[in-house]
Each structure stands twice: as structure tokens, then as C-alpha cells.
Amino acid sequence: MSNNGFKVKIGLASCSIAAGAAKVHDLLKDLLADDGIHLQRTGCMGLCYCEPQVEVVAPDGRSYLYGNVSTDNVGQIVEEHIKKGEPVEELLVVPPDGASEAGEYIGRQERFLLHNCGNIDPENIESYLDAGGYKGLAKAVAMKPEEVIAEVKSSGLRGRGGAGFPTHQKWTFARDAKGEQKYIICNADEGDPGAFMDRSILESDPHSVLEGMMIAGYAIGASVGYIYIRAEYPLAIRRLKIAIAQAKEHYYLGTNILNSGFDFDIKIREGAGAFVCGEETALIASIEGKRGMPRFRPPFPAVSGLFASPTSINNVETFANVPQILAQGAAAYNVHGTEFSKGTKVFALAGKVNRGGLIEVPMGMSINDIVFAVGGGISTGKAFKAVQTGGPSGGCIPAELADTAVDYESLKEIGAIMGSGGLLIMDEETCMVDVAKFFLTFTREESCGKCTFCRVGTEQMLRILERITEGEGTEEDIDTLEDLGSKIKAGSLCGLGQTVPNPVLTTIKYFRDEYEAHVRDKVCPAKNCKALIEYEIVAEDCKGCGLCRKQCPVDAISGGKKEPHVIDQATCLRCGLCVNSCKFDCITVSSKPGKTAPVDGQGMGAVS
């Protein structure tokens, strides 16, 4: 049977593959083969909450996006839509007119950087070229390096790794530095828990990052670039290797690129996943084969970086913006954003939000608009409580400040940071003391140990937080946390140590009443801290079905068939399995003053 004019695409990034897209791809490929239709692989479209996705483009050009596609329903799409021309309405997440929740999710974004993601084949350079790829490089090498830097300056692009340092200044410092050999480094060591911006870009549009590095190399006079990426991103690494090989075959990498006399090569260095290697000097040390630890500055990497040569470092998102800025001009970029924070920003929207995924919005959009207009609101139906920005060393912003614009200056004013782009949404059932403990546990373990303030200070702060969440804290502990936090920020060498206390300090600043409830009344207002809560079965509502008793891992629940059950508080672990198993909602969670419960089977009885 001949091709009937339909085009079909399927997203194959890590998120979609994890949701079963590889199996859907294989089945779909077989089904389409009879019709002579080529199935195109793409990267991540960003709608992580409804993976896997299949896009069908009809002969008239109209696009239909199907979500939550499985091997059970992919045949229906082929039979009804592609063979009979009748779209499967119940599986559509974005119809041609975009009138849907997912359509709103995409429509409220400004996809300047992500325009290729979900559209091109990341393993085919021809697909990138058809989308205008390498036009930015061609334009750049026809300009003087100083003119390239001036164009980037006009765009207002600032580093997307977190600090927001102006990109053109970094490039100027490296260009002006003395040295025969200069280097470009792409920091792809994305270490924030829950963040996946860089991975998605590399898996979906790897050539854009390579092209951005080439333009940067031309601008500063570098001939070699390194991509430092954690080994736990195997698909991104594989696609980068494919892209590098294809770029060399098409003479975009190598010698005399585009007959400009510009030589450039790119190498990949796989890191072991140490969070501290996101810091520039630690990253450089790791590439050099040394232990990844920060060093004192100056000299800064722009003067003495990799192998003591001038080096300019930017992250994945920063480089991926550059080709479009050169190809379309600075004005196409700086039309977005605010006065001092130009352009767009990619975020990994996660937590208790309806539409989690990869989003790109203009700088200056409010937190409320991101959470509700783009993200579709809180997934639990509970009240919006806070958002955590900037990864594990970022700040927690209360819902009362959610009208704040998301840009570098506005976030700094309220004690938070932009970070690389993680946005974790929390509802009213989230304990902010427990959140601070969670992030400090991560950063304490990731401290390289070089600075006393970071190494010892984070350990002490964590012990205090553990005491508080176990009902053993004192009011003096809160003051001690603030004092320690300020000293760690002032006394640490690198950005990790200088920002580690942020989750603790911002939660104390905005949610001090929760800390005080934990230490004064021994109560967890969010009913989350195990030592401060109790599970109870409401006897008059209990049907005696026994499901909770069967789920309990420590046999803390007793009761006969069709008789009200009872929880033994001294044995209960507060794991919550009973609540999840109850079909009649007859198990309550409470946190009462004066009660301290056993934690993880440590055998403590309730005390008053």
C-alpha cells in the first residue's frame, strides 16, 4: 500500500521511553510499514505528564497530538485515523485548533529555545538543517569575533546555569586573556534532584548545543571544546556522539569550518555525578583527571582555566540559545523578558502540579501564572503552599509571594535564586521543616569537604533539623540554624557552600510558625513528621474489611472480620500504608500537642 500522505512522529527521550514509548515505537513502525509511512523519531515535547505521545500530521497539514499512548491503543490510531481519516478523539491531548488543556500548556509558553524539541529527529543532522540549523554559525563566521560578542551583548543573554552572569562578559574576558590555546566548556553536569532541562535539550536538540559552542569558540578564539556530562545520562551522551560525528562529516566541526579559517573540535568527558562538579573550578579539575574540588579564585577560568589556559564555561541552555540569537538577531531574543533579565527560561516543572514537564516561559512571568496557567494548578486539589526554586540550594517561596516575577532580580529580592531551572511545587500537606531537612541531607552528602563551614556546618544543621522533626528540638535551635546558616554562606569557598543554607533560611523566614509548632508544641501542622503524628481508625466508619491490617508491615492493626479495627500506637511505624489501602476513608492522621511517636520501629512509646 502506498503512502497516504500522513506523517507520524513519536517522542523518544528518556521520559517517554520510561513511560513505554520504545514499545509503542516498535509496534507503530510495524503497523505503518504496510502503508509506506515513515515513523519519525523526535525528542521531548515537554508534556511529561502524558507520555508517550504520538503526533499525526494529516495530508492537509493539520496536527493531532495523542497522549498516554500504549501498545493497547496505538493500533486504534492507525486503523481509525491514518487508514480511515477519523481522529481518535478520546486519545487526543492537542487537537489541531489547540483547544485543550495540553494545548493551553503549550500555548502559554514561549518556545524560543525548545522550538526544535519534539519536532526534529535528534539523531539526524539533515532534520536539524531543514529546521535552519547551523545558519547561526554560518552568520557568525562571516562576522568579526568582536561583532559576534556584541550581538550576544545586545541580546541580553545571561548564563542559564544559575548565577545569571552576562554571557558576553565571560566571552570578552576569555577573548582578551593572553594564551595560544583557549577552551570552551559546556557544563552539562545537571545535578539538581528533579531537574532535567539540560538532559532534555541534549536528547532532543544536540546540534543546537554544539553550534552554540562553535560560535562561542569562534568568538573567544578557542579551537577545542569539552562537554562535561554525567555518565548517568546515557541517551544524551549517545546522541551527542552521533551529532559530533555527523557535524564532522558535514564539515561543521574540524578545520577551516565553512571556509572561514576557523578550526574547532568538541570532546566529551563523562563525570561520575558529583554535585560539586557543577562548580566551574571543580568541573575543570575533574576534566583534568583530578578530584573534583573547587579552588580559590582569582585567577578566574577566563584567565587560567582548563590546563591553565583561558577558558569560557557556559551551561547547556546558554549555548542552545546562541544559534537562534545569531541566526535571527538579538532583537528576536531580547523582545522577551524584563529590563534586566532578557529572553526566555526553561524550567523543569515538578512536584504537586497537574501538568508537570519541561516548559519555556518568558522571563518575568509570575509564579502564579507558571503554576496555574501553565501547570494547571495543584494536582492534589489542596491549597498551593510554596514553590522551591534553584534546586537543593535554592529558596522556598510561599504562596503569598507567588505574584513575584520569575527573573534574576525579583527572586534575589525575596531570598531565592533562579538556579538552573528546577521548580518544585508544594501543597498545604508539605511540611516545610521536613523539606529543609530533605534538601540539606542531599547537599550535606554532596559537600566535597574542603571548607570547614560547609563540611561541619551542614552536618550540625542537619542534626538540629532531625531533632526538630523528631519532636526533640528547642526554640534555641531555630536561632542556631539561622546563625549557622549565615556563617556557612559567608565562610564557604564555592557556590555550593554559599547557597546550601538557603532552603533552611527561607523556610525559617517564611514558615517560622511551623518551626515553632515543632519545637514548642511538638506538633507538625502538615501532619507529615512521623514522630509527631498518629494514625487512628474511626470505629463507627470502619467496616472491618481487613485491608489495612493486611498492609501493615509490623502487625500494628488488629480486629476481627466486619469489626472495627484498632491501631497499636506503640507499634505503628507511621508509614501510611493503611491510609492508602482504606477504601472507606476511615483512617485519620493527627498531630496533637505533647505526643511524640516511635520512629521507624525504634521502640519508643508515646510520651507526654
Side-chain angles (χ1 to χ4, degrees), residues 17 26 50 78 140 182 189 199 219-220 323 353 392 439 470 502 535 569:
I17 292 172
D26 293 345
C50 58
V78 173
K182 298 181 181 180
D189 192 52
R199 173 177 56 75
I220 74 164
V353 63
F439 285 118
E470 289 170 8
N502 282 343
Y535 289 91
Q569 298 298 333

Side-chain angles (χ1 to χ4, degrees), residues 421-486:
L423 281 180
L424 182 65
I425 312 303
M426 293 170 269
D427 70 2
E428 62 183 350
E429 293 187 337
T430 306
C431 173
M432 303 312 293
V433 184
D434 193 53
V435 165
K437 185 179 73 172
F438 170 81
F439 285 118
L440 197 65
T441 300
F442 175 83
T443 48
R444 189 279 308 263
E445 292 177 352
E446 293 293 333
S447 172
C448 73
K450 186 171 186 175
C451 302
T452 304
F453 279 105
C454 183
R455 183 183 68 250
V456 180
T458 54
E459 177 69 27
Q460 293 304 315
M461 289 184 78
L462 182 58
R463 288 182 183 179
I464 293 172
L465 288 172
E466 288 173 343
R467 280 207 309 270
I468 293 175
T469 55
E470 289 170 8
E472 299 171 358
T474 65
E475 292 195 46
E476 289 73 22
D477 283 337
I478 303 175
D479 295 332
T480 304
L481 283 172
E482 290 184 307
D483 185 47
L484 265 175
S486 62

